[in-house]
Amino acid sequence: VANFAVRYLLRPPSEAAELGAAGLLLAAFSASVCSLLAITVDRYLSLYNALTYHSERTLGFTCAMVLLMWLLCLGVGLLPLLGWNCLRDQSSCSILRPVTKDNAAVLAVTFLLLFALMMQLYLQICKIAFRHAQQIAVQHQFIATAQATSTRKGLSTLSLILGTFALCWIPFAIYSLVADSSYPAVYTYSLALPATCNSLINPIIYAFRNPDIQKSLWLACCGCIPSTFSSRPRTSSDV
């Protein structure tokens, strides 16, 4: 919203306002992607180091990691002010004006690499969760259909999260690689809008699929937890 206001409501926008709005946009997009990556890493560690996870991932450690991530994203947002801009050479502008085409390509490639890392981590999560489900089924003598249902739920949740992320972000990243500032701005905003809305969609996915977040919502809204939550065992598909 700030970027749009500076570009189209301030006539003409000052260099400081234009660079600041671009930096805010880069910081916000970086924070969105890095938050999803951090959640993916946290999910992987919660399964890979299941026995020591809760003792190692304290509240202080989590707050420190969130702060570090935001400082990193704010650093990305400062790049336009540090020279990653095309204010002196308009022909080198990308769709993320005033970021240059070369710098926008670096950001887009970095995003695609982060997405590949998320894919790899989620594949490992699926393998570990499937192995845990098999072990639990053997220990508790669950019937095969119950195990299959739990595994399918876990795989469907991961597929939904990754699929939504890919549909919202990859078109914008690819467009950043092939387009420049000569392309109509409406194309840029139409592709950036789904990427922005991904931050709205993800909490909905987590709230409907993750019982821990459902409990938190019930506590926040009603001050109580339904009895169905306390009696239901946690499974690998809840991760």
Side-chain angles (χ1 to χ4, degrees):
V1 173
N3 183 270
F4 183 88
V6 168
R7 289 285 303 277
Y8 296 101
L9 298 183
L10 294 181
R11 292 293 184 177
S14 65
E15 286 191 5
E18 195 167 4
L19 292 176
L24 183 62
L25 188 66
L26 288 179
F29 277 7
S30 300
S32 180
V33 174
C34 288
S35 296
L36 294 176
L37 178 62
I39 292 173
T40 306
V41 172
D42 184 69
R43 287 180 165 190
Y44 173 75
L45 293 176
S46 70
L47 287 176
Y48 185 76
N49 297 324
L51 297 178
T52 60
Y53 173 79
H54 290 287
S55 60
E56 294 175 351
R57 302 299 179 270
T58 61
L59 179 60
F61 178 85
T62 302
C63 292
M65 289 298 100
V66 172
L67 178 61
L68 180 62
M69 182 193 72
W70 271 100
L71 289 176
L72 176 64
C73 295
L74 289 175
V76 174
L78 290 175
L79 292 178
L81 294 170
L82 298 177
W84 280 38
N85 65 74
C86 59
L87 295 182
R88 299 293 180 267
D89 182 14
Q90 298 295 326
S91 63
S92 65
C93 286
S94 69
I95 60 169
L96 298 173
R97 191 179 183 279
V99 178
T100 64
K101 288 185 288 188
D102 292 340
N103 294 333
V106 170
L107 294 174
V109 171
T110 301
F111 163 78
L112 294 175
L113 291 176
L114 291 179
F115 178 73
L117 176 60
M118 290 177 61
M119 284 282 293
Q120 180 62 29
L121 287 174
Y122 271 125
L123 287 175
Q124 295 301 319
I125 288 173
C126 287
K127 292 180 181 179
I128 297 173
F130 184 77
R131 185 167 65 248
H132 286 184
Q134 286 182 319
Q135 294 171 351
I136 293 173
V138 171
Q139 293 173 3
H140 295 272
Q141 297 180 350
F142 288 161
I143 58 175
T145 54
Q147 176 190 342
T149 300
S150 175
T151 303
R152 281 197 302 270
K153 180 188 176 185
L155 292 176
S156 65
T157 301
L158 295 181
S159 300
L160 185 60
I161 293 170
L162 271 182
T164 302
F165 182 76
L167 288 175
C168 291
W169 276 98
I170 289 183
F172 182 61
I174 295 177
Y175 184 71
S176 300
L177 286 173
V178 301
D180 56 37
S181 58
S182 64
Y183 284 62
V186 66
Y187 295 163
T188 302
Y189 282 106
S190 63
L191 291 175
L193 184 60
T196 306
C197 289
N198 184 243
S199 297
L200 173 66
I201 297 172
N202 280 323
I204 297 175
I205 296 175
Y206 296 138
F208 277 99
R209 307 288 293 190
N210 190 303
D212 288 336
I213 297 181
Q214 292 177 24
K215 290 179 183 179
S216 299
L217 289 175
W218 275 102
L219 281 174
C221 298
C222 305
C224 63
I225 299 177
S227 58
T228 54
F229 283 109
S230 59
S231 63
R232 191 179 67 176
R234 183 180 175 87
T235 67
S236 58
S237 64
D238 294 332
V239 176

